[in-house]
Amino acid sequence: MPKNSKVVKRELDDEVIESVKDLLSNEDSSDDAFKKSELMVDDQEEKDVDVEEGSDVEDERPAWNSKLQYILAQVGFSVGLGNVWRFPYLCQKNGGGAYLVPYLILLLVIGIPLFFLELSVGQRIRRGSIGVWNYISPKLGGIGFASCVVCFFVALYYNVIIGWSLFYFSQSFQHPLPWDQCPLVKNTSHTFVEPECEKSSATTYYWYREALNISSSLSESGGLNWKMTICLLAAWVMVCLAMIKGIQSSGKIMYFSSLFPYVVLLCFLIRGLLLNGSLDGIRHMFTPKLEIMLEPKVWREAATQVFFALGLGFGGVIAFSSYNKRDNNCHFDAVLVSFINFFTSVLATLVVFAVLGFKANIINEKCVIQNSEKILKLLKAGNLSQDMIPHHINFSSITAEDYNLVYDIIQKVKEEEFDSLGLKSCQIEDELDKAVQGTGLAFIAFTEAMTHFPASPFWSVMFFLMLVNLGLGSMFGTIEGIITPIVDTFKVRKEILTVICCSVAFFIGLIFVQRSGNYFVTMFDDYSATLPLLIVVILENIAVTRIYGIEKFMEDLKDMLGFSPSQYYYYMWKYVSPSVLLCLLVASIVQMGLSPPGYNAWIEDMLEQNTEISHVIIFPTWRQATEEFHSYPTWGMIVCISLMVLAILPVPIVFIVRRCNLIDDSSGSLASVSYKRGRIIKEPVNLEGDNTSLIHGKSPSEVPSPNFGKNIYRKQTGSPTLDTAPNGRYGIGYLMADMPDMPESDL
C-alpha cells in the first residue's frame, strides 16, 4: 500500500472496521465485560487517541486548540529574556551589524536543523523527552532524564528573575520613580545624599541596596530578603496556576504572554525613535566592524546564543510538539519560529540602543556642562588664555560639537599640562561602548534611561510587565519539559505533579532570595546548563543519525509530512551540525578552563575619609560602592562541579543499567503492543536485537508506522488461524500494525 495514498487507506480502513465488527460479533455473547471493552476504531485522521495500559476507557491526549496557539507557545518558549538583554550586548560587543552575519550562518547550520529535529521526533512519537529518547534507544533513555534535570535547575533561578521583575513592576506605580533620585540621610544637624548612592548612581543603589539588599560575598548569607521572597512565591503561584491543566490552561495564556512583549517593544521603539540621541545609539549599534568577524570568540558566542535562544535540549520543544497532529508541517514551524526569534532579537536590539542612545546623550550633555564650567574657572584663574577660545563659542549654551572643538584646541596647546587640567572628552560613543548585559541592562541601565522619559511610571510599568511575560513564556516551556515526560512515563496526575514540582522548586529557590542570592543566580546560570545542554543535544543528534539511522528518519519524515525534506537537512544532521556542536563543546570547556571561576560582588566596605563643609564634619566615612571580582570558595567550586555532574549523570547511569540489564525490563516498550479484549497491553520485547529504530523492521517502506487508531491487521484468505503482524509476534486475534496515535505506556 502506498504510504501517502489516503484513498487506499480509507478503503482499507472501511474493510478493517467491518472485519473487527465481525470478530467481535463472533465472541461469546455472555461475555459482558468484553462487549463493554469493544475496540473503537476511528478513521478520522485528526483524532489522536491515547490509551493507558490496563484501562478500558480510551483517553484522548491533550491537543492544541489551534495552530496559532501552538506557534505562540513555541515562540513564547524560545523568545525570552536573553533576546532583550543578551543579544543586544553580544551584537554591540562583537562587531555591531557585522555580528548578524555569523549569527545568521550558525542559525542555518545548527539552529534550524536541530530545532526541526526536536520538533519532528516529538510530533512523531508523541511523548516528552524521556519517552522520545527511551523509545528510540533505551540505552540512551538518560538523555530525557538529563533534560528534565537541566530544566529543573534553570527553572529554579529563572523564576527568581521573574520575581525581580514583579518587584520592580509593583514599585513602578509611583511618581517620581523610587530609583529616580538618591535618598537623603539626616543626622542631628545636616541632611546629605546617601554616600553609597552618590558614589555609584541612583538606579545602581536601588538595585543592589533596596531591591536585593545584597551582601558582600557568596559566603555571607545575610538571611532572607522578605520582599523578594514574597515576589518569588507570587511568581511560582502564577506558573503553577498557568500550568496546572497543562496546555489547556497555559495555551490560553500564551495569547497574552507571547503577544504582549511585541506590543511593548513596538511602543518602546516608536517612543525611542522620538527621543533625542536615539539615532546615535542605533547608528553605533549597526556600524559594522568587519575585522572582528575573524575572531574565533565571535563565532563561539554566536553559536552559543543560537543554541540557547531556541531552547534546544531543554525538552520543552519536544513536549510542546508532542501535542500536535501527526501530519502537522513541523518543518514550516521550525523555520517560522527560528526567524521570529531572530527578528525579535533584532527588534529588541533596536529598542535597547535607541533608549541607550538617548541615555548616552543626556550623560554627554551633563559632561559638556560640567567641563565647560571647569574651563570657565580655568580662564578666570588665568590657567588658560582667552585667545584659545574661538569667538563664536558661548559657554552658557555650548553644544557638544563646540565643546569638542574647544577641548581639541586646549589639548594641542596645553599638551604637557593637559592631564593636570582634569578635563574630559565628552563623546557619545564612549558612553555607548559601556553597554551592559543581563540584569545590569534591565535593572540599572534601562531603568535609568526611563527616569528621563515623560510619563516615566507608565513606561516602567510596561517594561517590567513585558519582562514578566517574556519570563513566563520561557518558564511554561521549561516546566512543560519537566511535567510532560514524567506524566507520560510514570502515569501520575498532571495537577498533583505540577503542584509538587512548583512547591519543591519554591523552597529550594529560597537560596536565591537570600541577601547573597544574586551570586547563586550567577553560579547556576554559568554552570547548570551550558555544558550539560551541549552534551544532551550532541547525543540527540547521534541517537537519530547514527543509532536510529538518518535514512530511516528521512523516510519517517516523508511519511509524516507528506513530502521529502530537503537533502540539506540530511547533510546538516549527519555531518555539519554534530561537528559544529563538538567544536562548540570543546571551545566552551576551554573557555571555562581559561576563565577563573568566580562572580562580581557588590562591595560596600566603609573607607575612612573625613569630609568637611563649613568647618563641620558631616560624615566620617563613605562607601566604596563598586563591583569587585571574587573567586568561588572551595565549597562554591564543589557546588559548581556538582551542578554539571548531576545534570549529565542520568545519561551514563541509564546506559549502564540498560546495557548490563541491572533492572528487569519486563514491561517492554512502545515498539510492541497488542490488542486484547479491547484493551492495549504491552508485550515483552527484547530490545537488544534492534534498539535502533522507532519501528522494528527491515526498512521504512516495509515497517508499520508507530501510529494507532487507523489500520488494524485483519485475517486474510489463506492466512493461518492466528494472525501475525510483520514483526512476527502473535496477538489474541488481531494485532496492531499501523498506529497513527501512540498509546500511553510506561517507558
Side-chain angles (χ1 to χ4, degrees):
M1 180 184 71
K3 288 193 172 192
N4 297 323
S5 176
K6 294 186 177 179
V7 176
V8 177
K9 283 187 176 182
R10 190 179 303 111
E11 292 176 355
L12 182 56
D13 288 346
D14 294 338
E15 295 175 1
V16 168
I17 295 172
E18 293 177 2
S19 300
V20 173
K21 289 182 178 179
D22 291 341
L23 286 169
L24 294 176
S25 64
N26 292 330
E27 294 290 340
D28 187 357
S29 59
S30 63
D31 192 347
D32 295 333
F34 184 83
K35 289 181 179 179
K36 292 179 181 178
S37 62
E38 178 179 350
L39 175 66
M40 303 301 295
V41 181
D42 192 350
D43 62 343
Q44 295 179 4
E45 293 187 9
E46 70 275 13
K47 185 173 181 180
D48 298 323
V49 180
D50 292 291
V51 183
E52 292 186 6
E53 179 191 1
S55 173
D56 292 335
V57 182
E58 292 183 352
D59 180 30
E60 288 192 11
R61 182 175 179 82
W64 298 103
N65 291 336
S66 66
K67 181 66 174 286
L68 176 61
Q69 190 181 88
Y70 164 68
I71 293 297
L72 290 178
Q74 292 286 17
V75 169
F77 176 51
S78 65
V79 175
L81 297 173
N83 296 77
V84 175
W85 68 31
R86 175 76 176 160
F87 186 89
Y89 165 76
L90 290 175
C91 201
Q92 183 270 341
K93 173 186 175 185
N94 295 317
Y99 174 75
L100 300 180
V101 176
Y103 186 88
L104 271 174
I105 292 174
L106 291 167
L107 182 66
L108 296 173
V109 170
I110 62 174
I112 295 177
L114 294 176
F115 194 60
F116 180 31
L117 180 79
E118 291 199 355
L119 286 178
S120 55
V121 295
Q123 180 174 308
R124 181 70 171 178
I125 304 175
R126 294 179 58 76
R127 287 294 174 271
S129 56
I130 295 177
V132 162
W133 305 114
N134 202 15
Y135 187 56
I136 288 180
S137 175
K139 292 177 183 177
L140 292 180
I143 296 175
F145 289 98
S147 294
C148 289
V149 173
V150 173
C151 280
F152 187 71
F153 285 159
V154 172
L156 287 177
Y157 74 86
Y158 204 87
N159 223 23
V160 176
I161 301 174
I162 299 178
W164 294 342
S165 302
L166 284 174
F167 173 77
Y168 269 79
F169 172 74
S170 66
Q171 298 298 307
S172 297
F173 296 90
Q174 305 178 46
H175 186 73
L177 292 169
W179 50 84
D180 188 22
Q181 300 291 335
C182 285
L184 299 177
V185 180
K186 296 181 180 180
N187 61 13
T188 55
S189 56
H190 291 85
T191 300
F192 52 91
V193 176
E194 166 62 47
E196 183 181 1
C197 182
E198 188 176 34
K199 182 66 177 176
S200 53
S201 68
T203 50
T204 304
Y205 173 82
Y206 189 87
W207 166 241
Y208 284 117
R209 191 57 49 213
E210 297 293 335
L212 300 181
N213 192 21
I214 199 167
S215 62
S216 298
S217 71
L218 182 71
S219 302
E220 184 184 340
S221 168
L224 291 178
N225 180 340
W226 67 269
K227 293 180 289 188
M228 288 304 171
T229 303
I230 294 174
C231 291
L232 179 63
L233 177 61
W236 276 115
V237 169
M238 291 169 62
V239 171
C240 184
L241 293 177
M243 297 296 301
I244 198 164
K245 292 292 184 181
I247 63 171
Q248 283 130 342
S249 55
S250 64
K252 296 179 177 63
I253 300 174
M254 289 295 177
Y255 287 109
F256 180 77
S257 64
S258 297
L259 293 176
F260 180 75
Y262 290 96
V263 175
V264 176
L265 285 174
L266 288 173
C267 290
F268 263 98
L269 180 60
I270 295 171
R271 184 69 188 92
L273 291 175
L274 299 176
L275 296 172
N276 184 32
S278 60
L279 294 180
D280 293 329
I282 294 176
R283 190 184 304 112
H284 178 83
M285 175 68 245
F286 288 102
T287 300
K289 304 178 182 67
L290 298 177
E291 66 280 1
I292 298 182
M293 286 179 56
L294 301 176
E295 299 180 12
K297 73 177 184 68
V298 174
W299 291 83
R300 178 182 63 82
E301 292 186 347
T304 304
Q305 178 64 15
V306 168
F307 185 86
F308 289 104
L310 295 175
L312 300 175
F314 282 93
V317 173
I318 295 176
F320 280 151
S321 65
S322 71
Y323 298 111
N324 266 334
K325 296 178 182 178
R326 186 79 58 182
D327 59 352
N328 174 62
N329 189 349
C330 54
H331 173 257
F332 172 80
D333 300 341
V335 176
L336 178 64
V337 173
S338 297
F339 278 101
I340 288 177
N341 186 293
F342 171 70
F343 287 118
T344 303
S345 298
V346 174
L347 175 62
T349 300
L350 287 171
V351 171
V352 166
F353 275 87
V355 173
L356 291 181
F358 166 69
K359 172 177 172 282
N361 209 273
I362 291 177
I363 294 176
N364 194 62
E365 289 177 359
K366 291 181 179 178
C367 176
V368 168
I369 293 173
Q370 291 173 354
N371 284 272
S372 296
E373 292 175 351
K374 287 184 180 180
I375 293 175
L376 287 174
K377 291 179 180 179
L378 292 172
L379 289 172
K380 291 180 180 179
N383 295 329
L384 294 177
S385 171
Q386 187 68 42
D387 297 335
M388 296 182 187
I389 311 300
H391 298 294
H392 70 279
I393 300 297
N394 182 7
F395 283 101
S396 60
S397 58
I398 190 172
T399 63
E401 292 77 10
D402 289 342
Y403 170 77
N404 288 323
L405 175 62
V406 174
Y407 178 87
D408 291 339
I409 293 173
I410 296 175
Q411 187 178 28
K412 291 177 181 178
V413 175
K414 296 284 186 178
E415 185 175 354
E416 297 180 356
E417 307 172 15
F418 183 76
D419 291 339
S420 62
L421 298 178
L423 298 177
K424 295 181 180 179
S425 174
C426 299
Q427 300 287 340
I428 292 179
E429 288 74 16
D430 294 339
E431 189 63 32
L432 289 171
D433 284 335
K434 300 177 183 177
V436 291
Q437 64 164 323
T439 55
L441 173 64
F443 298 106
I444 298 177
F446 222 85
T447 51
E448 182 176 348
M450 285 188 296
T451 58
H452 301 287
F453 279 25
S456 55
F458 168 78
W459 294 105
S460 183
V461 167
M462 294 284 284
F463 177 72
F464 289 109
L465 186 58
M466 178 190 72
L467 291 188
V468 170
N469 278 275
L470 285 172
L472 286 177
S474 297
M475 275 298 296
F476 293 157
T478 304
I479 297 298
E480 199 69 54
I482 303 171
I483 301 296
T484 297
I486 295 178
V487 169
D488 288 343
T489 305
F490 300 107
K491 301 299 179 297
V492 296
R493 286 191 60 184
K494 179 165 285 188
E495 295 86 350
I496 296 175
L497 178 62
T498 302
V499 172
I500 292 175
C501 179
C502 293
S503 300
V504 171
F506 166 71
F507 285 109
I508 297 177
L510 292 177
I511 65 174
F512 301 108
V513 290
Q514 306 174 94
R515 290 185 59 201
S516 60
N518 187 48
Y519 307 138
F520 284 97
V521 170
T522 302
M523 176 190 292
F524 271 66
D525 190 36
D526 289 341
Y527 292 96
S528 68
T530 306
L531 292 182
L533 281 180
L534 279 172
I535 295 173
V536 163
V537 176
I538 290 172
L539 291 176
E540 288 180 357
N541 196 299
I542 293 174
V544 172
T545 59
R546 306 294 177 182
I547 296 179
Y548 173 64
I550 185 64
E551 289 80 10
K552 295 179 183 178
F553 186 62
M554 295 294 285
E555 282 294 325
D556 287 340
L557 287 177
K558 180 180 178 181
D559 181 49
M560 183 170 66
L561 300 176
F563 62 88
S564 298
S566 170
Q567 286 297 305
Y568 168 80
Y569 293 104
Y570 177 91
Y571 294 107
M572 289 296 107
W573 286 330
K574 190 170 184 179
Y575 302 111
V576 181
S577 294
S579 301
V580 174
L581 287 173
L582 285 172
C583 291
L584 180 58
L585 177 63
V586 172
S588 298
I589 294 174
V590 171
Q591 177 66 22
M592 192 171 290
L594 295 177
S595 302
Y599 59 99
N600 290 320
W602 180 253
I603 306 300
E604 55 160 341
D605 292 338
M606 306 293 285
L607 302 178
E608 295 295 330
Q609 177 170 323
N610 292 337
T611 303
E612 185 172 333
I613 299 180
S614 301
H615 307 288
V616 177
I617 296 178
I618 296 181
F619 51 89
T621 58
W622 57 281
R623 299 181 186 274
Q624 187 174 344
T626 57
E627 284 189 338
E628 184 177 290
F629 183 81
H630 282 190
S631 297
Y632 285 119
T634 303
W635 65 267
M637 286 300 303
I638 294 174
V639 173
C640 294
I641 296 173
S642 299
L643 288 174
M644 293 186 289
V645 172
L646 288 174
I648 207 63
L649 194 60
V651 175
I653 288 179
V654 172
F655 180 83
I656 293 172
V657 167
R658 295 275 167 81
R659 182 69 178 83
C660 301
N661 293 320
L662 299 181
I663 295 179
D664 182 22
D665 187 15
S666 61
S667 61
S669 77
L670 295 177
S672 178
V673 296
S674 66
Y675 294 111
K676 181 178 181 181
R677 300 173 68 84
R679 297 183 301 170
I680 293 179
I681 63 171
K682 292 185 299 180
E683 294 182 319
V685 179
N686 181 10
L687 293 170
E688 295 299 325
D690 180 12
N691 61 1
T692 63
S693 63
L694 298 177
I695 9 153
H696 295 278
K698 296 296 182 183
S699 70
S701 62
E702 299 171 354
V703 297
S705 171
N707 299 332
F708 159 66
K710 293 180 185 175
N711 298 322
I712 307 294
Y713 269 87
R714 57 187 173 85
K715 190 173 181 179
Q716 300 180 9
T717 304
S719 64
T721 303
L722 195 58
D723 300 329
T724 62
N727 57 14
R729 294 187 174 84
Y730 295 91
I732 311 297
Y734 42 91
L735 291 176
M736 175 176 64
D738 194 34
M739 311 168 295
D741 301 315
M742 186 61 56
E744 294 280 0
S745 173
D746 294 332
L747 298 176

